[in-house]
Amino acid sequence: MLRKLEFLLTIFISFLILFPSISVGATNIGKEPLSMVPESALPVLETQNNELAEVHRSIENIFGSVESFYEYGTLYLKKDGSIVIGINKEDSKIKEFKEKIKSVSSSNKVQWKKIDYSTSSLIKIAEKVQADLEKRKEEKSIAEQTTIVSVDEVNGKVVLEVESISEHIQKHFENQFGDILVIKQGISAHPEISRERNWTKLGGGIALSDYGDPFGVCTSAGIGEKDSRYFLITAGHCLNGDKSGAYQYDVRVGTDHTVGNWNGIDVGLILLDSTNELSPRYVTNYFYWHAEDNDDYDKRIEGIGTYYYSGMYLCKSGNTTGVTCGYLESTSYKYVDYAGDQYGSQKLLKINNDNNTGILNYSSGGDSGAIVFDPYAFLICGIHSGGESPDGSTNPTYGLFTKITDVMNMYSTPSASFSIYISDTNVRFD
């Protein structure tokens, strides 16, 4: 069953249209012209799906993984579409890497710079800050509150965001970590507990509900598959994992199967197993792009996003605020501890809202669990978890999300992998 939050969230259904309206029919579901996103985002979108994809392949081939590359430096995108690669040590692998991406470098897409801290070094410092923060909370020297520890790769800093701390504790952190740590006070971050109606075809961006209550409280991200079983994917804080009934809008759709929050991954799975008055029901790779403009899904998930670099442009499609987009702030985890939430620290990434879309608030109550995706190639990249407001308001200008690759890795075993359903074939499950 979907877990009710202990505090009230105002459900505000937005009828704002994010992008120019177009006519979409069942015959042309898929990619749309790049004019569907703000013109200012096009340089980044084109780079992240072309040159950045080539650079990423070279990183994996030479270093073995992005994590291994981060021992040497950092990488992020600028809004003009250029790729910035910072290096803090040179060896044969870096020379090989530079040679491998020479064709990209020669196109003036790559900017090299010398840095003091690699991403890996910054992450290690962030982990120490997080550990120190948890100790202060245990000692009650910091009040119960939402806290976020993250890495700013662009500026080479670790950022600690809190609602408020005393001057004494702030001085402690400054003495402990020096000027590499930036402390920001006055934030407000929270999970956000829909498209509203019962659907025979299940996919991403539709309403989930609490005990069949038609005032939906969460959103779906898409369909997962393992051992010939299908799962509706949402945020973990929306569920309990207690094997009770779970609903899509107000008709039972399956079983509240499991949550990953105890492992720091904000994901929940609903096992699809119900026969009801809506039978037959199908799993699909559909998701909502313009729910406000269509009576049916208008997009399909074309694949899975497997890399995350700072500066990438991503969107989410949630029940309450629809489609909103922005720039990924960091490739390293944000250790987000929602005040009053039972699960403790969650590992999330943060998206900075793109105000050029004309929408100031990235998300609102009811958007939790929404699909996070690449609006150029329509790849599923994550699951929306919550919103953050740097000024302490309840109108989030940042979005927080779980990486879809973390979900796949957590639920996969040596004998069976957990995958995202991306086939264009609709499969009946009841």
Side-chain angles (χ1 to χ4, degrees), residues 177-188:
F177 298 100
D179 60 7
I180 196 171
L181 179 65
V182 176
I183 300 175
K184 297 181 180 180
Q185 298 195 51
I187 68 151
S188 171

Side-chain angles (χ1 to χ4, degrees), residues 57-114:
R57 285 192 294 270
S58 296
I59 286 174
E60 290 197 318
N61 289 337
I62 294 170
F63 298 93
S65 67
V66 176
E67 289 73 24
S68 295
F69 166 73
Y70 282 157
E71 296 287 342
Y72 290 81
T74 191
L75 188 155
Y76 59 88
L77 290 178
K78 293 172 67 176
K79 289 186 179 179
D80 63 3
S82 58
I83 302 169
V84 178
I85 303 176
I87 299 297
N88 75 339
K89 62 180 179 180
E90 296 268 357
D91 67 4
S92 58
K93 283 190 175 182
I94 292 296
K95 291 178 181 177
E96 182 183 359
F97 177 49
K98 288 181 175 180
E99 184 65 29
K100 188 78 172 178
I101 64 169
K102 185 178 289 185
S103 60
V104 180
S105 300
S106 63
S107 67
N108 296 319
K109 284 282 187 178
V110 174
Q111 299 175 13
W112 297 91
K113 73 174 187 177
K114 177 70 175 165

Side-chain angles (χ1 to χ4, degrees), residues 298-371:
D298 51 356
K299 282 291 172 289
R300 287 187 184 272
I301 297 172
E302 303 285 345
I304 300 165
T306 57
Y307 55 84
Y308 307 81
Y309 291 101
S310 184
M312 287 175 59
Y313 196 82
L314 301 174
C315 300
K316 76 102 185 64
S317 179
N319 180 70
T320 305
T321 55
V323 176
T324 54
C325 305
Y327 296 90
L328 182 58
E329 273 214 347
S330 171
T331 60
S332 67
Y333 287 123
K334 311 281 180 181
Y335 297 94
V336 182
D337 189 356
Y338 293 126
D341 190 76
Q342 63 175 311
Y343 294 116
S345 181
Q346 303 295 292
K347 300 173 182 177
L348 304 170
L349 301 188
K350 184 163 76 171
I351 294 175
N352 189 350
N353 185 54
D354 180 8
N355 292 331
N356 288 322
T357 62
I359 295 179
L360 299 181
N361 299 331
Y362 181 84
S363 60
S364 188
D367 286 331
S368 282
I371 179 174

Side-chain angles (χ1 to χ4, degrees), residues 78 178 193 197 199 264 278 282 296 321 387 416 425:
K78 293 172 67 176
I193 302 269
R197 84 181 203 211
W199 291 93
L278 288 181
Y282 301 88
D296 204 350
T321 55
T425 301

